[in-house]
Amino acid sequence: DAGITQSPRHKVTETGTPVTLRCHQTENHRYMYWYRQDPGHGLRLIHYSYGVKDTDKGEVSDGYSVSRSKTEDFLLTLESATSSQTSVYFCAISESWLQGRQPQHFGDGTRLSIL
Amino acid sequence: KNEVEQSPQNLTAQEGEFITINCSYSVGISALHWLQQHPGGGIVSLFMLSSGKKKHGRLIATINIQEKHSSLHITASHPRDSAVYICAVVRSNYQLIWGAGTKLIIKP
């Protein structure tokens, strides 16, 4: 299994509080992704990174920011959490930008509840 | 209308049955992925295919590019096959578009 660790695995917090989710990889892959998964929807890309300090927006980036200061770590931050951000968040990695042409490897997910 | 549609949304079957899960899409693609999400949440890639058929153990994936349709088959299904099966298509710009998944339950 690809070495991807997400932390925390579960979090419950209140509306308006800041939240940071961490994704740590040991595979030295260049590309990292944050997705959210909601009932009735496919995975939706929030942000992705193509290198240290190189990030870009996905399709549902509003309300989220990311940072990548080291190859192995990709942080997702909700500056002021809202109830609509209650979701399961997945981190994924891939070796190249051919995102679709190579399998992505996923972390085990973080279940986030905003009350 | 979603660009990737999976059917059925939910499927319950008895152990041993032949299972078919369908994925239809409305955009031009260069490849298609099938993934499996276990009840614990982990997502694992099963197949990537751009034409024809691929087989791995009891799993078979087929794709018909002209008809914009792919199927995932499971032969001799087993309770451990219970999971959500996800289809994702690859657009020409390498963007992935994800289906909502099919929840499969295999009863002993």
Side-chain angles (χ1 to χ4, degrees):
Chain A
D1 287 344
I4 307 169
T5 304
Q6 289 187 231
S7 59
R9 292 294 315 280
H10 303 272
K11 187 171 181 67
V12 180
T13 191
E14 294 184 345
T15 301
T17 60
V19 177
T20 295
L21 308 183
R22 179 179 183 240
C23 178
H24 178 80
Q25 59 140 333
T26 58
E27 305 297 317
N28 202 36
H29 283 359
R30 181 176 175 185
Y31 296 89
M32 300 183 75
Y33 313 87
W34 276 109
Y35 291 95
R36 61 179 289 174
Q37 185 180 43
D38 302 291
H41 291 272
L43 288 168
R44 290 183 289 177
L45 183 65
I46 304 171
H47 281 279
Y48 64 94
S49 169
Y50 47 98
V52 173
K53 297 187 179 177
D54 292 323
T55 65
D56 207 347
K57 297 179 180 180
E59 61 181 299
V60 290
S61 59
D62 287 349
Y64 301 95
S65 62
V66 290
S67 65
R68 192 166 177 203
S69 59
K70 297 185 289 186
T71 298
E72 56 266 35
D73 289 326
F74 192 32
L75 304 181
L76 176 71
T77 298
L78 292 65
E79 299 289 349
S80 178
T82 67
S83 58
S84 65
Q85 294 175 311
T86 292
S87 187
V88 180
Y89 291 85
F90 285 95
C91 173
I93 64 174
S94 65
E95 287 187 80
S96 81
W97 170 237
L98 298 180
Q99 176 200 30
R101 296 291 295 182
Q102 285 196 350
Q104 292 186 8
H105 304 285
F106 286 84
D108 289 334
T110 294
R111 188 172 295 275
L112 178 63
S113 297
I114 314 295
L115 305 179
Chain B
K1 187 179 189 300
N2 292 334
E3 293 170 302
V4 179
E5 296 277 359
Q6 288 187 236
S7 63
Q9 286 185 307
N10 297 282
L11 178 58
T12 299
Q14 292 296 131
E15 183 174 357
E17 287 188 36
F18 181 82
I19 303 299
T20 296
I21 298 170
N22 298 298
C23 177
S24 296
Y25 50 92
S26 57
V27 297
I29 71 168
S30 60
L32 181 146
H33 293 267
W34 282 102
L35 304 97
Q36 180 190 54
Q37 183 173 21
H38 283 286
I43 299 173
V44 176
S45 179
L46 298 174
F47 296 104
M48 188 194 77
L49 63 165
S50 54
S51 66
K53 180 169 75 173
K54 285 192 175 180
K55 184 176 189 289
H56 181 70
R58 294 180 295 106
L59 300 178
I60 303 166
T62 65
I63 188 168
N64 185 319
I65 295 290
Q66 287 73 28
E67 294 187 2
K68 293 189 162 78
H69 182 268
S70 176
S71 294
L72 177 68
H73 305 285
I74 305 174
T75 62
S77 59
H78 190 276
R80 65 175 175 266
D81 297 325
S82 298
V84 175
Y85 291 85
I86 302 170
C87 165
V89 302
V90 185
R91 301 192 73 162
S92 57
N93 62 356
Y94 301 115
Q95 179 194 14
L96 279 169
I97 304 175
W98 300 82
T102 293
K103 185 174 182 179
L104 174 66
I105 297 173
I106 304 296
K107 294 186 175 181

